[in-house]
Amino acid sequence: MNDIVLSATGLVMRFGGITATNNVSLNLRRGARHALIGPNGAGKTTLINLLTGVLTPTEGRIVLEGEDITRLAPHKRVARGMVRTFQINQLFDSMSPLETLALVVSQHTGAGADWWRPLGSSKQVAERAGQLLEQFRLADVANQQTKHLAYGKRRLLEIAIALACEPRVLLLDEPVAGVPAGEREELLETVAALPADVSVLLIEHDMDLVFSFADRMTVLVNGTLLTEGDPDTIANDPKVKEVYLGHGEAHA
């Protein structure tokens, strides 16, 4: 089982009389490219909130690299290597990408309150921030205020922030949501090039991205696990076609 980096077993989440997550289990393998899909109201966001500690399950267990984290606070999960991007962009509008990444890298490496010093005074922080700016195609806008960035660039910065935390498990929450068509290719290419040693769980409605990215897929419907398998299996599953992909819709 040592190739399983994140394991959720029998998760149940009840809100009053409503069961939002009904006995869902999921295993994320080391280095996986795993997609979580399902129609609106399927319970994807609730499940991610359980995994990240925003919600505490009514029943069930979550294990990260052999450690039970079911009741661990969200920030402690980040410290243990599980990081989430949000489908609603949450960035420091008045700061530049360079300043933002320097702040995150400083906090992660323990420099903390010293992040505001001239960037050149911490070679480690400056080098790592520079690497992230290049990797996420932000070098050309490194010194612009974030509020002036194109939306696609903001999403790239959001993923760069997550990678600055050096995650072992990355939960990508709808990375292309709201991104105009002209800005999508850069984002898709960057997502495809994420480090191989980072295990990725992708939550996404865009089926082109899902099928080009994922090597395994989990389908939720009404808070319940419908099926799980490789992309070919999912694309050809009659139940999936009926509830999600549309009758007769095919994906290569």
Side-chain angles (χ1 to χ4, degrees), residues 70-130:
T70 309
R71 301 189 179 280
L72 201 65
H75 70 278
K76 293 186 177 179
R77 299 185 196 209
V78 173
R80 283 165 171 76
M82 183 163 66
V83 180
R84 171 193 192 177
T85 64
F86 286 87
Q87 67 190 97
I88 299 172
N89 200 268
Q90 297 178 332
L91 298 169
F92 303 107
D93 274 355
S94 63
M95 293 172 63
S96 69
L98 176 57
E99 291 168 333
T100 301
L101 290 171
L103 168 59
V104 177
V105 171
S106 293
Q107 289 182 327
H108 185 72
T109 56
D114 292 340
W115 72 271
W116 48 264
R117 295 181 307 168
L119 287 171
S121 65
S122 173
K123 186 178 179 184
Q124 180 188 11
V125 169
E127 286 183 353
R128 181 59 178 145

Side-chain angles (χ1 to χ4, degrees), residues 27 59 117 123 153 173 192 198 219 226:
N27 287 317
E59 299 173 22
R117 295 181 307 168
K123 186 178 179 184
K153 291 288 189 185
D173 199 344
V198 177
V219 185
L226 178 69

Side-chain angles (χ1 to χ4, degrees), residues 4-7 28-31 51 63-65 77-78 80-84 162 166-172 197-201:
I4 303 296
V5 65
L6 177 65
S7 176
L28 186 68
R29 296 188 177 276
R30 199 169 301 279
L51 294 177
V63 175
L64 177 65
E65 296 195 315
R77 299 185 196 209
V78 173
R80 283 165 171 76
M82 183 163 66
V83 180
R84 171 193 192 177
E166 298 183 10
R168 293 185 295 283
V169 173
L170 176 63
L171 307 181
L172 273 182
D197 61 340
V198 177
S199 309
V200 182
L201 181 61

